[in-house]
Structures are given as C-alpha cells and as structure tokens.
Amino acid sequence: MALAFLRWIFRLLTLLVVSHSVCVIFYYTADTHSSREAMPDTLQRLRCAKLGRKFSVITSVKRLNMESFTEELVDFLKCPQKPNTTEQELNRMKLQFCCNATGSIFLTKRNTAINQTIPYETDTKHTYRMNAAIHNMLPEDFPWSGRRLGRCAVVGSGGILKNSSCGREIDSADFVIRFNLASINDSDVGLKTDLVTINPSQIQREYKDLEKKLNPLVKRVSVYGNTSLIMPAFAYTFCTGLSIKTLKALHPIRPQQPVVFFSPYYLQTLDHFWKGRGLKSIRLSTGFMLISTALELCENVHVYGFWPFDTDLQDNLVPYHYYDLRRPSKSMHKMPEEFVRLLQLHSQGALTLHLQPCSSDAS
Ligand SMILES: *[C@@H]1O[C@H](CO)[C@@H](O)[C@H](O)[C@H]1NC(C)=O
Ligand SMILES: *[C@@H]1O[C@H](CO)[C@@H](O)[C@H](O)[C@H]1NC(C)=O
Ligand SMILES: *[C@@H]1O[C@H](CO)[C@@H](O)[C@H](O)[C@H]1NC(C)=O
Ligand SMILES: *[C@@H]1O[C@H](CO)[C@@H](O)[C@H](O)[C@H]1NC(C)=O
Ligand SMILES: *[C@@H]1O[C@H](CO)[C@@H](O)[C@H](O)[C@H]1NC(C)=O
Ligand SMILES: *[C@@H]1O[C@H](CO)[C@@H](O)[C@H](O)[C@H]1NC(C)=O
C-alpha cells in the first residue's frame, strides 16, 4: 500500500518535471522564432552568400550609405566565416613575390652592407649611406627566420576596442603586432606583444630631450618586455635622425629589446603592390602595411581595432583611438578606403576582422 503510494507520488513528480521542460522548450522556440537567428537555414545561407559577394567587391566608400552599410555588416558578421586556405596561400605567394617580408621587412646585418646606399621610401632626391656604427647595431637576422608564424593578431588602435573584452582572445594568439607604443591591458587589448611600432613623430613630440632624459622612454618600452620596436627610419628624411637617436639611446641599456628599421625597399614594393590594386593614398598606414606583412608571414591573420568611422556597429559614438582622441592626417592616409580592402579580404576568407566585442567564452 505504502509502496503504491510512493510510486504514485514518483509518477506525479516525473510528470511535473516533464511538463515543465516542455513548457521551457515552448518558451524557447516561441522566443527564437521572433528573431532573425531562426530564419530558415537556406534563406540565411542565401543572404550570407549575397552579402559575402557584395563585400568582396566593394572597393570604395565614396558612394556608401553608412546606415545600410552597417546594417548589412552586422548581418554579415553573424554569418559563419571559414578561412579560405587557397586564398590565403595565393595572397602569401603574391606578397612574397612582390615584397618579401620574409627576407626584407627590416634592415639586418645580413641583408644590408656597410656603406650601402639606402634609398628613401618616399623621396628620390635623398639617400642614406649605412655607416659601420649603425650597421653594428642592426639585428643579425629575423627572429622568426624560416619559420612561419601561426595565428597572428594585428591590433590597431581603434576606439572600438574600448570595453571590447578582447584582451584574452588577443593574448591567445601566437604573434601579436601593435602600433605607436599603444597602451596595453589585459581586459580590452591584451598584453602579449611581439612587434610594436614607434612613430618618429612620437619621439619628436613626446621625447624631445632623449639624450638627457632617457628614463620615460625606457619605462614606456619596457612594458612590452623584450619585443622588437620597429621604426620607419627611411620613410621621410626627418625620420632618420629621430630613429637613429632612439636606436642609439636604447641599444646600450636595453640590448635585449632591438630597435629595428623598416626596409624602405620593402615598403616601396608594398606601396606599388597596393597602388597597382587601386588603393590610392599618398602613403599606406603602418597598420595596413603590417597587416600585409602578416598575410605573408602568418598562418592566420586576425585583425582587431581597425574601424575608421565615428560610430560603432550599434550606432554608439566611438573615440578614434582607444587611448586618446588624436586623429590621423586625412590627406595622408585613406583609412576608410583601407578598411574596405580589409573587409574584402575578410569576405574572401583571407583574414578575420573583429569589429564587435569579444565573447567571454572565446579563446
Ligand atoms: C577560395 O578561394 C579560391 C581562390 O580565390 C576560390 O577559387 C574559391 O572559390 C574559394 N573557395 C570558397 C569556398 O569560397
Ligand atoms: C626572400 O628573401 C629571402 C632572404 O633574402 C630569400 O632567401 C628568398 O629567396 C626571397 N624570396 C623571394 C620570393 O624572393
Ligand atoms: C666604407 O667606406 C669607407 C670610406 O669610404 C672605407 O674606409 C671603408 O673601408 C668602407 N667599408 C667597407 C666595409 O666597405
Ligand atoms: C565602457 O564602460 C564604462 C563602464 O561600464 C562606461 O562608463 C563607458 O561609457 C564605456 N565606454 C565605451 C566607449 O563604451
Ligand atoms: C628579456 O631579456 C633578458 C636579458 O636577455 C632576460 O633576462 C629576460 O628574461 C627576458 N625577458 C623576457 C620577458 O623574455
Ligand atoms: C584598458 O584600456 C581601456 C582603454 O584604454 C580602458 O578603457 C580600460 O579601462 C582599461 N582597463 C583596465 C583594466 O585597465
């Protein structure tokens, strides 16, 4: 009798649990039916393919309607995005053939001779003669010589990185490239750094008295550990003195942290490469240059913090940089035009653009 009662109670409980979960399932489906995620698979796939085709041929932002552009971009970013290894290998071969970052991204003892005449990237009237003292401070060779870099993160300084929580994801990359001695922190932009650029005008502006007051710069570069610091010493003539001053100042006290100079040959050929593909700017941004470098050297390229517009994809205002409000020269770089190229490369599966906050469970 007691046993039968217990059995009855048990059945009742089971029934309650089952009906409860049925309810939950109902709620769940009712909820997702109203949103776009529940769009039938084939429709969704068609829309993704259509957007992919559209973004893979955009070559200019001139006639773009920003509102529909961001709307479509938000939808497109929800589409599954697979790297296309054929496309990646094609880009790698083209870039190696034209520019060869592998063997020439910066000047080394091996690729540069004492007394060699170094051209300027942007100036045909002047040259620089490599002397023995500077040559002696060039690195022997590339730190990665011969080995392909794995998953690379190229971290621009765009304000979209603010509150992005992308730090963990960025730090999980094998090789991380940053720009202009940008600040680092674990939450939004990550800490890992394998290559960071210094802009000569930063030295000019912020470290005027470098010979006498070395500490502030030493403190700033130490944050990146033993990471190489790269400068465009032969972009413009004014860059050379500032770059050499930086090299001479840091070399004796931080020999473990090389200051290296971009090869003007490399940057010239890269400029020709992109101009030949219709990218018309006076000079490529350093960000775009190093993304190109990464396309040649890395297995996979992930791009963060490149977003040249005033509002993000949710229509919130974003600062231009995540660390300050300084804006780039509009006449010099064509950031929106470069961005469209990145979008093209993204939709072709050549790289992955990250334009929204990172989810906390991603690694
Ligand atoms: C991958 O890229 C190659 C070369 O551009 C292209 O022919 C191919 O259709 C692409 N594959 C996919 C799945 O998109
Ligand atoms: C790139 O440079 C390296 C080192 O100088 C050289 O061994 C290699 O052949 C070059 N590759 C191409 C495609 O020119
Ligand atoms: C470089 O040039 C100087 C002066 O012309 C000369 O004395 C020196 O031997 C040269 N060094 C090398 C390694 O060619
Ligand atoms: C970032 O988050 C902080 C605190 O939650 C908020 O005050 C700030 O407005 C956010 N900034 C941006 C650019 O979203
Ligand atoms: C940087 O280099 C110094 C000197 O070679 C070494 O003692 C130190 O462990 C290195 N630091 C890191 C983070 O690799
Ligand atoms: C990380 O850097 C961002 C951008 O400078 C800043 O908004 C944020 O508060 C920083 N977070 C921490 C934990 O320092």
Side-chain angles (χ1 to χ4, degrees), residues 173-363:
D174 300 307
F175 196 85
V176 182
I177 299 173
R178 301 180 191 273
F179 301 90
N180 296 345
L181 299 176
S183 62
I184 49 178
N185 75 36
D186 53 357
S187 60
D188 293 338
V189 297
L191 299 169
K192 184 173 163 58
T193 310
D194 296 280
L195 184 66
V196 60
T197 70
I198 304 180
N199 194 329
S201 49
Q202 273 183 296
I203 299 296
Q204 191 172 42
R205 202 169 50 232
E206 298 169 43
Y207 302 98
K208 281 198 171 62
D209 254 345
L210 198 54
E211 285 92 348
K212 280 183 231 126
K213 276 189 263 166
L214 192 49
N215 253 344
L217 181 64
V218 168
K219 228 172 125 188
R220 181 140 174 213
V221 300
S222 309
V223 165
Y224 306 100
N226 296 344
T227 303
S228 299
L229 307 161
I230 187 162
M231 301 186 75
F234 307 102
Y236 298 94
T237 47
F238 90 90
C239 299
T240 312
L242 292 162
S243 303
I244 286 176
K245 190 163 88 168
T246 310
L247 172 67
K248 279 184 172 163
L250 292 177
H251 188 75
I253 45 173
R254 290 191 63 75
Q256 75 275 30
Q257 185 171 27
V259 174
V260 301
F261 296 158
F262 268 114
S263 155
Y265 304 103
Y266 175 65
L267 297 184
Q268 261 172 1
T269 50
L270 202 56
D271 186 69
H272 287 162
F273 180 82
W274 286 110
K275 281 217 170 87
R277 282 162 177 72
L279 195 55
K280 303 274 192 282
S281 55
I282 295 179
R283 188 166 182 265
L284 296 173
S285 71
T286 313
F288 199 84
M289 291 170 183
L290 284 175
I291 290 172
S292 305
T293 305
L295 286 173
E296 182 186 327
L297 297 180
C298 307
E299 208 67 59
N300 282 295
V301 179
H302 289 261
V303 174
Y304 298 83
F306 283 78
W307 179 254
F309 307 111
D310 295 332
T311 55
D312 67 11
L313 289 168
Q314 280 69 44
D315 211 25
N316 302 310
L317 279 176
V318 283
Y320 201 83
H321 288 153
Y322 67 81
Y323 51 80
D324 71 20
L325 298 171
R326 186 180 291 282
R327 301 188 68 90
S329 147
K330 273 231 170 80
S331 57
M332 174 84 82
H333 301 312
K334 291 268 192 301
M335 298 298 193
E337 301 297 321
E338 290 186 356
F339 176 76
V340 162
R341 292 301 163 134
L342 297 180
L343 193 51
Q344 218 176 51
L345 290 163
H346 174 95
S347 48
Q348 292 164 349
L351 53 71
T352 309
L353 264 180
H354 296 264
L355 300 173
Q356 286 170 313
C358 295
S359 52
S360 50
D361 55 11
S363 62

